[in-house]
Coordinates of all heavy atoms in Angstrom, one line a residue:
C210 N 51.5 -58.9 40.7 CA 51.0 -60.2 40.7 C 49.7 -60.4 39.9 O 48.6 -60.6 40.4 CB 50.8 -60.7 42.2 SG 50.1 -59.5 43.2
P211 N 49.8 -60.3 38.6 CA 48.7 -60.4 37.7 C 48.0 -61.8 37.7 O 46.8 -61.9 37.3 CB 49.2 -60.2 36.3 CG 50.7 -60.5 36.4 CD 51.1 -60.2 37.8
E212 N 48.7 -62.8 38.2 CA 48.1 -64.2 38.3 C 47.1 -64.3 39.4 O 46.3 -65.3 39.5 CB 49.2 -65.2 38.4 CG 49.9 -65.3 39.7 CD 50.9 -64.2 40.0 OE1 51.2 -63.4 39.1 OE2 51.5 -64.3 41.0
L213 N 47.1 -63.4 40.4 CA 46.2 -63.4 41.5 C 45.0 -62.5 41.1 O 45.1 -61.3 41.1 CB 46.8 -62.9 42.8 CG 48.1 -63.7 43.2 CD1 48.7 -63.0 44.5 CD2 47.7 -65.1 43.5
I214 N 43.9 -63.2 40.9 CA 42.6 -62.5 40.5 C 41.7 -62.3 41.7 O 41.3 -63.3 42.3 CB 41.9 -63.3 39.4 CG1 42.8 -63.7 38.2 CG2 40.7 -62.5 38.9 CD1 43.4 -62.5 37.5
L215 N 41.5 -61.1 42.0 CA 40.6 -60.7 43.2 C 39.5 -59.7 42.7 O 39.8 -58.9 41.9 CB 41.4 -60.1 44.3 CG 42.5 -61.0 45.0 CD1 43.2 -60.1 46.1 CD2 41.9 -62.2 45.6
T216 N 38.4 -59.8 43.3 CA 37.3 -58.8 43.1 C 37.7 -57.6 43.8 O 38.6 -57.6 44.7 CB 36.0 -59.3 43.6 OG1 36.0 -59.5 45.0 CG2 35.6 -60.7 42.9
D217 N 37.0 -56.5 43.5 CA 37.3 -55.2 44.2 C 37.0 -55.3 45.7 O 37.7 -54.8 46.5 CB 36.5 -54.1 43.6 CG 37.1 -53.5 42.3 OD1 38.3 -53.8 42.1 OD2 36.3 -52.9 41.5
E218 N 35.9 -56.1 46.0 CA 35.6 -56.3 47.4 C 36.7 -57.1 48.1 O 37.0 -56.7 49.3 CB 34.3 -57.2 47.4 CG 33.1 -56.5 48.1 CD 31.9 -57.4 48.0 OE1 31.9 -58.5 48.6 OE2 30.9 -56.9 47.5
E219 N 37.2 -58.1 47.5 CA 38.3 -58.9 48.1 C 39.5 -58.1 48.3 O 40.2 -58.1 49.3 CB 38.6 -60.1 47.3 CG 37.5 -61.2 47.3 CD 37.7 -62.3 46.3 OE1 38.2 -62.0 45.2 OE2 37.4 -63.5 46.6
L220 N 39.9 -57.2 47.3 CA 41.0 -56.3 47.4 C 40.8 -55.4 48.6 O 41.8 -55.2 49.4 CB 41.2 -55.5 46.1 CG 42.0 -56.1 45.0 CD1 41.8 -55.3 43.8 CD2 43.4 -56.3 45.4
E221 N 39.7 -54.9 48.8 CA 39.4 -54.0 49.9 C 39.6 -54.7 51.3 O 40.2 -54.2 52.2 CB 38.0 -53.4 49.9 CG 37.8 -52.3 48.8 CD 38.5 -51.0 49.2 OE1 38.7 -50.7 50.4 OE2 38.9 -50.3 48.2
V222 N 39.1 -55.9 51.3 CA 39.3 -56.7 52.6 C 40.7 -57.0 52.9 O 41.2 -56.8 54.0 CB 38.5 -58.1 52.4 CG1 38.9 -59.0 53.6 CG2 37.0 -57.9 52.4
Y223 N 41.5 -57.3 51.9 CA 43.0 -57.6 52.1 C 43.7 -56.3 52.4 O 44.6 -56.3 53.2 CB 43.6 -58.3 50.9 CG 43.3 -59.8 50.9 CD1 42.4 -60.4 50.1 CD2 44.0 -60.6 51.8 CE1 42.2 -61.8 50.1 CE2 43.8 -62.0 51.9 CZ 42.9 -62.5 51.0 OH 42.7 -63.9 51.1
I224 N 43.3 -55.2 51.8 CA 43.9 -53.9 52.1 C 43.7 -53.6 53.5 O 44.6 -53.1 54.3 CB 43.4 -52.8 51.1 CG1 44.0 -53.0 49.7 CG2 43.8 -51.4 51.7 CD1 43.5 -52.1 48.7
N225 N 42.5 -53.7 54.0 CA 42.1 -53.5 55.4 C 42.8 -54.4 56.4 O 43.1 -54.0 57.5 CB 40.6 -53.5 55.6 CG 39.9 -52.4 54.9 OD1 40.5 -51.3 54.7 ND2 38.7 -52.6 54.5
L226 N 43.1 -55.6 55.9 CA 43.8 -56.6 56.7 C 45.2 -56.2 56.9 O 45.8 -56.3 58.0 CB 43.7 -58.0 56.1 CG 44.5 -59.1 56.7 CD1 43.9 -59.6 58.0 CD2 44.7 -60.3 55.8
V227 N 45.9 -55.9 55.8 CA 47.3 -55.6 55.9 C 47.6 -54.2 56.4 O 48.7 -54.0 56.9 CB 47.9 -55.8 54.4 CG1 49.4 -55.4 54.4 CG2 47.8 -57.3 54.1
S228 N 46.7 -53.3 56.2 CA 47.0 -51.9 56.5 C 47.6 -51.6 57.9 O 48.6 -50.9 58.0 CB 45.7 -51.1 56.4 OG 45.9 -49.7 56.6
P229 N 47.1 -52.2 59.0 CA 47.7 -52.0 60.3 C 49.0 -52.7 60.5 O 49.7 -52.4 61.5 CB 46.6 -52.5 61.3 CG 45.7 -53.4 60.5 CD 45.9 -53.0 59.1
M230 N 49.5 -53.5 59.6 CA 50.7 -54.2 59.7 C 51.9 -53.5 59.3 O 53.1 -53.8 59.6 CB 50.7 -55.6 59.0 CG 49.6 -56.5 59.5 SD 49.6 -58.0 58.5 CE 48.1 -58.8 59.0
L231 N 51.7 -52.4 58.5 CA 52.9 -51.7 57.9 C 52.8 -50.2 58.2 O 51.7 -49.6 58.3 CB 52.9 -51.9 56.4 CG 53.1 -53.3 55.8 CD1 53.0 -53.3 54.3 CD2 54.4 -53.8 56.3
S232 N 53.9 -49.6 58.3 CA 54.0 -48.2 58.5 C 54.6 -47.5 57.3 O 55.7 -47.8 56.9 CB 54.8 -47.9 59.7 OG 55.1 -46.5 59.8
E233 N 53.9 -46.5 56.8 CA 54.4 -45.8 55.6 C 55.7 -45.0 55.9 O 56.6 -44.9 55.1 CB 53.3 -44.8 55.1 CG 53.6 -44.2 53.7 CD 52.5 -43.5 53.1 OE1 51.4 -43.5 53.7 OE2 52.7 -42.9 52.0
S234 N 55.8 -44.6 57.2 CA 57.0 -43.8 57.5 C 58.2 -44.7 57.6 O 59.3 -44.3 57.4 CB 56.8 -43.1 58.9 OG 56.6 -44.0 59.9
V235 N 58.0 -46.0 57.9 CA 59.2 -46.9 58.0 C 59.6 -47.3 56.6 O 60.8 -47.4 56.3 CB 58.8 -48.2 58.8 CG1 59.8 -49.2 58.7 CG2 58.5 -47.8 60.3
F236 N 58.7 -47.6 55.7 CA 59.0 -48.1 54.4 C 59.3 -47.0 53.3 O 59.8 -47.2 52.3 CB 57.9 -49.1 53.8 CG 58.0 -50.4 54.5 CD1 57.3 -50.7 55.6 CD2 58.8 -51.4 53.9 CE1 57.4 -52.0 56.2 CE2 58.9 -52.7 54.5 CZ 58.2 -52.9 55.7
G237 N 58.8 -45.8 53.7 CA 59.1 -44.7 52.8 C 58.6 -44.9 51.4 O 57.4 -45.3 51.2
N238 N 59.4 -44.6 50.4 CA 58.9 -44.8 49.0 C 58.8 -46.2 48.6 O 58.3 -46.5 47.5 CB 59.9 -44.0 48.0 CG 61.3 -44.6 48.0 OD1 61.6 -45.4 48.8 ND2 62.1 -44.1 47.1
M239 N 59.1 -47.2 49.4 CA 58.9 -48.6 49.1 C 57.6 -49.1 49.7 O 57.3 -50.3 49.7 CB 60.1 -49.4 49.6 CG 61.4 -49.1 49.0 SD 61.4 -49.2 47.2 CE 61.4 -51.0 47.0
Y240 N 56.8 -48.2 50.3 CA 55.6 -48.6 51.1 C 54.6 -49.4 50.2 O 54.1 -50.5 50.6 CB 54.9 -47.4 51.7 CG 53.6 -47.7 52.4 CD1 53.6 -48.4 53.6 CD2 52.4 -47.3 51.9 CE1 52.4 -48.7 54.3 CE2 51.2 -47.6 52.5 CZ 51.2 -48.2 53.7 OH 50.0 -48.5 54.3
I241 N 54.3 -48.8 49.0 CA 53.3 -49.5 48.2 C 53.7 -50.9 47.8 O 53.0 -51.8 47.8 CB 53.0 -48.6 46.9 CG1 52.4 -47.2 47.3 CG2 52.0 -49.3 46.0 CD1 51.1 -47.2 48.0
T242 N 55.0 -51.0 47.4 CA 55.6 -52.2 46.9 C 55.6 -53.3 48.1 O 55.1 -54.4 47.9 CB 57.0 -52.1 46.4 OG1 57.0 -51.0 45.4 CG2 57.5 -53.3 45.8
A243 N 56.0 -52.8 49.2 CA 56.0 -53.7 50.4 C 54.6 -54.2 50.8 O 54.3 -55.3 51.1 CB 56.7 -53.0 51.6
F244 N 53.7 -53.2 50.7 CA 52.3 -53.5 51.0 C 51.7 -54.6 50.1 O 51.1 -55.5 50.5 CB 51.5 -52.2 50.9 CG 50.1 -52.3 51.5 CD1 49.9 -51.7 52.7 CD2 49.0 -53.0 50.9 CE1 48.6 -51.7 53.3 CE2 47.8 -53.0 51.5 CZ 47.6 -52.4 52.7
V245 N 52.0 -54.4 48.8 CA 51.5 -55.4 47.8 C 52.1 -56.7 48.0 O 51.4 -57.8 47.9 CB 51.7 -54.8 46.3 CG1 51.5 -55.9 45.3 CG2 50.9 -53.6 46.1
Y246 N 53.4 -56.8 48.3 CA 54.0 -58.1 48.5 C 53.5 -58.8 49.7 O 53.2 -60.0 49.7 CB 55.6 -58.0 48.6 CG 56.3 -57.9 47.3 CD1 57.1 -56.9 47.0 CD2 56.1 -58.9 46.3 CE1 57.8 -56.8 45.8 CE2 56.7 -58.8 45.1 CZ 57.6 -57.8 44.8 OH 58.2 -57.7 43.6
L247 N 53.3 -58.1 50.8 CA 52.7 -58.7 52.0 C 51.2 -59.1 51.7 O 50.8 -60.2 52.2 CB 52.8 -57.7 53.2 CG 52.3 -58.3 54.5 CD1 53.1 -59.5 54.9 CD2 52.4 -57.2 55.6
M248 N 50.5 -58.3 51.0 CA 49.1 -58.6 50.7 C 49.0 -59.8 49.8 O 48.2 -60.7 50.1 CB 48.4 -57.4 50.1 CG 46.9 -57.6 49.9 SD 46.1 -56.0 49.4 CE 46.3 -56.1 47.6
A249 N 49.9 -59.9 48.8 CA 49.9 -61.1 47.9 C 50.3 -62.3 48.7 O 49.7 -63.4 48.4 CB 50.9 -60.8 46.8
H250 N 51.2 -62.2 49.6 CA 51.6 -63.3 50.5 C 50.4 -63.9 51.2 O 50.1 -65.1 51.2 CB 52.7 -62.9 51.5 CG 53.0 -63.9 52.5 ND1 53.6 -65.1 52.3 CD2 52.6 -63.9 53.9 CE1 53.7 -65.7 53.4 NE2 53.1 -65.1 54.4
H251 N 49.6 -63.0 51.8 CA 48.4 -63.4 52.5 C 47.3 -64.1 51.6 O 46.7 -65.1 51.9 CB 47.7 -62.3 53.3 CG 48.4 -61.9 54.5 ND1 48.3 -62.6 55.7 CD2 49.3 -60.9 54.8 CE1 49.1 -62.1 56.6 NE2 49.7 -61.1 56.1
V252 N 47.2 -63.5 50.4 CA 46.3 -64.1 49.4 C 46.7 -65.5 49.0 O 45.9 -66.4 49.0 CB 46.2 -63.2 48.1 CG1 45.4 -63.8 47.0 CG2 45.6 -61.8 48.5
V253 N 48.0 -65.7 48.7 CA 48.5 -67.0 48.3 C 48.3 -68.0 49.4 O 47.9 -69.1 49.2 CB 50.0 -66.9 47.8 CG1 50.5 -68.3 47.6 CG2 50.1 -66.1 46.5
L254 N 48.6 -67.6 50.6 CA 48.5 -68.5 51.8 C 47.0 -68.9 51.9 O 46.7 -70.1 52.1 CB 49.0 -67.9 53.1 CG 50.5 -67.9 53.3 CD1 50.8 -67.3 54.7 CD2 51.0 -69.3 53.2
R255 N 46.1 -68.0 51.8 CA 44.7 -68.2 51.9 C 44.2 -69.2 50.8 O 43.4 -70.1 51.1 CB 43.9 -66.9 51.9 CG 42.5 -67.0 52.3 CD 42.2 -67.5 53.6 NE 43.0 -67.0 54.7 CZ 43.1 -67.7 55.9 NH1 42.5 -68.8 56.1 NH2 43.9 -67.2 56.8
Q256 N 44.7 -69.0 49.6 CA 44.4 -69.9 48.5 C 44.9 -71.3 48.7 O 44.2 -72.2 48.4 CB 44.9 -69.3 47.2 CG 44.1 -68.1 46.7 CD 44.7 -67.5 45.5 OE1 45.8 -67.8 45.0 NE2 44.0 -66.5 44.9
L257 N 46.1 -71.4 49.2 CA 46.7 -72.7 49.5 C 45.9 -73.4 50.6 O 45.6 -74.6 50.5 CB 48.1 -72.6 49.9 CG 49.1 -72.3 48.8 CD1 50.5 -72.0 49.4 CD2 49.2 -73.4 47.8

């Protein structure tokens, strides 16, 4: 999602927000991708 511009601080906040919502063991090798999609969803909702 290159159109979503966040500072490093904001990225850390969203990572900490989404982190407890997902399990790496459940998503396996799709964990990073699922994490980013869920995080981007929260960013877009917050912007709206």
Side-chain angles (χ1 to χ4, degrees):
C210 39
E212 72 282 1
L213 299 177
I214 308 299
L215 297 178
T216 65
D217 283 341
E218 243 179 58
E219 290 170 325
L220 273 171
E221 285 291 330
V222 168
Y223 279 106
I224 288 171
N225 292 333
L226 172 75
V227 173
S228 182
M230 297 179 191
L231 297 177
S232 169
E233 191 168 356
S234 63
V235 171
F236 284 91
N238 63 352
M239 299 301 289
Y240 176 71
I241 300 293
T242 307
F244 195 103
V245 169
Y246 278 125
L247 185 58
M248 188 168 87
H250 169 74
H251 283 281
V252 170
V253 170
L254 281 183
R255 192 56 45 202
Q256 288 177 348
L257 287 171

